[in-house]
Amino acid sequence: MDNAGAQELLMPAIHPKELWEKTGRFKLLGEILITYKDRHGKICVLGPTHEEVITDLVAREIRSYRGLPKTLYQIQTKFRDEPRPRFGVLRSKEFIMKDAYSFDRNKEGLNESYKAMFDAYCRIFERCSLNYITVEADTGFMGGDLSHEFMVPAKSGEDIIASCSECGYTASLTIAECTKDSMRQSPEELKAIREVKTSGVSTVERVSGFLKVRPDQLVKTLIYKADEKPVAILIRADHNLNEVKVTRYLNCSALEMADDKLIKDITGGPLGFSGPVGLKGVRIISDYSVAGMRNFVTGANKADTHLMNVNLARDFKVSDWSDFRYIDGGDPCPKCGKQIKLETTIEVGHTFKLGTKYSKDLGASFLDKDGKDKLCIMGCYGIGINRIIAAAIEQNNDKDGIIWPSSLAPYQVIILPLNMAHKESVKIAEGLYGKLSSENIEVVLDDREESAGIKFKDADLIGIPIQVVIGEKALAKNKIEVKTRKDKKVVQLSEKEAVKEIMKLLP
Ligand SMILES: Nc1ncnc2c1ncn2[C@@H]1O[C@H](COP(=O)(O)OP(=O)(O)O)[C@@H](O)[C@H]1O
Ligand SMILES: [Mg+2]
Ligand SMILES: [Zn+2]
């Protein structure tokens, strides 16, 4: 971070609520914020991120273009009452983040600062020996117009990315585009619409089983509230609605599913039986996937009833067509048309071009060269420190345990005297420990009175990159063993040679 031109500072973890109200994020983040009332009755926020605090600081400190550009960073504990905390350190309520914020005079400046951070992040993750992918991503509650996520492929990951091995397209699942391919009309002839009784059957699987039609011959009609205005969204029933795409399309700030009462008011029927035919007074928008369908099934807007052989244009009209669904594995790539592959990943870093949202709300302006007052243009950049640990372990392990990349290992060397009752072994182990320590090598000595088997097993499990084994048999020939955890290669060497070998193995 320092080499990339950033300056380190440490911000408070406790923030006044008023700061969060100025940007509207006290309400927007809602239950994610961990808050408490202090002895004077003031509400305080435990910082989940620091855009508010840093922008307030810069607003007070920087007055002129001469103070810009500036990139500031910290390594700090963050607090988020996550809706779905996950095992270990992947997603916790308290975690460590390295966060940075850039302030520039204009867009070109932001692009430069952004690139400097982006490149530094690539170097950081490379140095952590992580195999990672960068993808374009949604900006979520940060706002702004562009963001990139740094993703580590791992089975235990909770983020999904879509990629194409043909042309290299990659995007996070929330923004990966679906093509208009499915707009092509099926050649089937239009059949007469007909009402069918589907008593108590409302989910897609059950309706399709009951009526003996495939899920892709069903259309789901989802009633939502977009900034308090109702909207009906149509989507082929085997697809999943992507609320981020809908929110962006409608340009609304809150998108919520309608409750039973609103559904009844709008459609006349109960939840689970909505359909577009005869629907009045509500905007009907549809995913592209519905456009090519003929003779499909929809809800009939009355209890226990569906309609079969419903058709577009003849039976109802759609006001807007767009891409409102999540892409599926096997769907065509939006860039080249070949097949998209989905994989689970762990998000270890995230960079955003924020623009002026925070500088406007918190008054971070400066006097430019031309004598005009202007708003600072911001970027923000985060790395999940503990999450890197989880990701590194997911990627570097074998059946025996962790294989730490040297740059992240808690120790570089572990010394294993196999028999603590053997004086000579202990003497050599302690001597070696002193020698390596004085060379500033991080070294740990397993001086527990455990069996050799347990020591070997534990050393493999905790994954220190280099093991030095001191056993009676080899000692009799004046040799000790140096073993690399990664490939389990063992060499027998004299004590002196061993130190040289270790220095050679270290990065
Ligand atoms: N609850 C958490 N536990 C551990 N790490 C987290 C958590 N939330 C975020 N991070 C890390 O901090 C980085 C920046 O956070 P941000 O992008 O704001 O999080 P999110 O994508 O969860 O909204 C993420 O890329 C991730 O590595
Ligand atoms: Mg993120
Ligand atoms: Zn492609």
Side-chain angles (χ1 to χ4, degrees):
M1 295 303 293
D2 295 332
N3 288 345
Q7 247 176 295
E8 187 170 10
L9 46 58
L10 184 62
M11 287 180 260
I14 300 174
H15 310 166
K17 167 186 173 222
E18 289 69 34
L19 214 44
W20 285 83
E21 280 173 335
K22 282 192 184 163
T23 58
R25 290 210 298 180
F26 191 76
K27 191 152 166 252
L28 184 66
L29 267 71
E31 297 197 305
I32 290 179
L33 291 180
I34 299 181
T35 59
Y36 72 92
K37 216 185 253 176
D38 75 6
R39 64 172 80 217
H40 305 295
K42 289 194 78 164
I43 303 216
C44 302
V45 173
L46 297 187
T49 174
H50 280 74
E51 285 75 20
E52 278 74 4
V53 174
I54 194 88
T55 313
D56 184 55
L57 177 77
V58 167
R60 290 161 203 273
E61 295 295 326
I62 295 178
R63 297 271 154 76
S64 147
Y65 70 92
R66 286 190 195 88
L68 297 175
K70 193 144 252 114
T71 297
L72 303 164
Y73 78 99
Q74 67 172 348
I75 297 172
Q76 239 255 34
T77 305
K78 310 274 174 187
F79 302 88
R80 295 182 183 179
D81 195 351
E82 295 280 359
R84 289 166 286 113
R86 296 260 308 198
F87 55 85
V89 289
L90 262 189
R91 182 175 288 281
S92 43
K93 292 190 182 172
E94 173 183 339
F95 59 98
I96 304 171
M97 200 199 289
K98 193 292 302 163
D99 46 329
Y101 306 86
S102 64
F103 297 83
D104 275 281
R105 289 171 64 191
N106 49 34
K107 280 235 154 90
E108 295 72 51
L110 169 65
N111 290 342
E112 270 174 46
S113 300
Y114 189 88
K115 188 171 185 310
M117 280 300 114
F118 187 94
D119 292 346
Y121 274 29
C122 292
R123 290 192 296 271
I124 289 170
F125 294 125
E126 266 149 41
R127 219 199 267 183
C128 291
S129 299
L130 289 175
N131 165 20
Y132 69 95
I133 308 168
T134 58
V135 299
E136 268 195 42
D138 182 45
T139 50
F141 64 61
M142 290 299 173
D145 44 38
L146 176 77
S147 99
H148 287 99
E149 285 169 336
F150 292 76
M151 296 294 210
V152 171
K155 279 205 205 76
S156 64
E158 52 176 349
D159 287 294
I160 298 174
I161 62 167
S163 61
C164 168
S165 50
E166 196 68 26
C167 72
Y169 172 81
T170 51
S172 80
L173 186 65
T174 35
I175 67 159
E177 304 151 51
C178 303
T179 61
K180 287 190 190 174
D181 246 34
S182 44
M183 301 263 304
R184 257 179 276 133
Q185 285 282 324
S186 132
E188 224 176 286
E189 278 199 28
L190 304 194
K191 294 187 198 154
I193 191 166
R194 116 185 127 82
E195 220 177 80
V196 284
K197 278 284 157 207
T198 47
S199 298
V201 178
S202 64
T203 64
V204 170
E205 296 80 54
R206 294 185 58 207
V207 173
S208 86
F210 185 81
L211 296 176
K212 306 210 162 39
V213 295
R214 294 189 316 267
D216 67 7
Q217 295 171 295
L218 252 67
V219 168
K220 281 191 281 199
T221 305
L222 305 162
I223 311 293
Y224 270 80
K225 251 181 2 189
D227 290 343
E228 303 304 318
K229 257 195 124 158
V231 54
I233 310 164
L234 308 185
I235 183 167
R236 210 172 79 191
D238 58 327
H239 290 313
N240 291 310
L241 187 76
N242 182 327
E243 294 183 354
V244 170
K245 288 182 178 176
V246 177
T247 306
R248 284 189 169 189
Y249 183 84
L250 296 177
N251 198 12
C252 58
S253 55
L255 184 75
E256 273 178 281
M257 276 181 113
D259 56 18
D260 294 14
K261 181 175 174 302
L262 184 61
I263 292 174
K264 180 92 194 176
D265 287 353
I266 288 170
T267 71
L271 171 73
F273 296 93
S274 303
V277 181
L279 208 55
K280 285 200 191 74
V282 57
R283 180 172 175 196
I284 302 178
I285 64 175
S286 177
D287 180 65
Y288 292 138
S289 59
V290 174
M293 296 172 72
R294 286 263 164 100
N295 302 321
F296 45 86
V297 175
T298 70
N301 298 322
K302 47 180 164 174
D304 299 332
T305 318
H306 278 80
L307 295 174
M308 294 187 77
N309 302 328
V310 176
N311 283 289
L312 275 162
R314 186 191 72 180
D315 302 326
F316 69 93
K317 283 196 182 64
V318 165
S319 77
D320 303 58
W321 293 95
S322 189
D323 165 22
F324 294 130
R325 68 178 177 97
Y326 285 108
I327 203 165
D328 283 319
D331 274 344
C333 164
K335 287 272 143 64
C336 78
K338 290 277 162 27
Q339 281 201 350
I340 281 290
K341 191 180 76 186
L342 298 186
E343 72 189 309
T344 54
T345 56
I346 297 173
E347 180 199 320
V348 289
H350 203 162
T351 55
F352 301 81
K353 284 190 183 171
L354 292 174
T356 54
K357 177 192 161 30
Y358 296 92
S359 31
K360 193 156 123 229
D361 290 345
L362 294 156
S365 59
F366 65 95
L367 198 61
D368 208 354
K369 235 182 209 160
D370 57 12
K372 289 198 182 112
D373 226 19
K374 293 178 188 168
L375 291 171
C376 295
I377 308 206
M378 292 176 58
C380 78
Y381 319 89
I383 289 183
I385 309 271
N386 0 26
R387 203 179 272 182
I388 286 180
I389 296 298
I393 296 173
E394 291 297 333
Q395 267 189 356
N396 302 285
N397 66 76
D398 62 14
K399 67 178 189 357
D400 297 317
I402 304 171
I403 303 169
W404 283 115
S406 197
S407 55
L408 300 182
Y411 297 97
Q412 301 301 320
V413 180
I414 182 167
I415 303 175
L416 306 170
L418 299 182
N419 179 3
M420 289 301 291
H422 185 244
K423 288 228 168 66
E424 173 78 3
S425 298
V426 174
K427 204 181 108 207
I428 298 222
E430 286 177 346
L432 200 58
Y433 179 87
K435 220 170 273 163
L436 293 174
S437 299
S438 67
E439 297 281 352
N440 281 331
I441 293 166
E442 292 168 316
V443 52
V444 60
L445 173 61
D446 185 354
D447 58 0
R448 294 174 303 164
E449 276 161 27
E450 294 287 359
S451 70
I454 286 182
K455 288 192 175 185
F456 283 137
K457 235 176 147 154
D458 286 348
D460 280 350
L461 181 67
I462 63 173
I464 309 298
I466 301 170
Q467 300 174 7
V468 179
V469 181
I470 301 174
E472 286 170 73
K473 245 199 244 146
L475 264 193
K477 295 182 284 177
N478 278 325
K479 300 273 174 182
I480 58 181
E481 288 177 347
V482 176
K483 177 178 152 188
T484 34
R485 172 66 181 90
K486 195 171 180 171
D487 51 19
K488 307 216 157 144
K489 247 196 219 138
V490 182
V491 282
Q492 285 209 343
L493 302 162
S494 73
E495 201 188 325
K496 226 189 193 149
E497 292 165 341
V499 175
K500 259 198 219 137
E501 176 69 13
I502 290 165
M503 304 294 272
K504 221 171 67 199
L505 288 171
L506 289 174

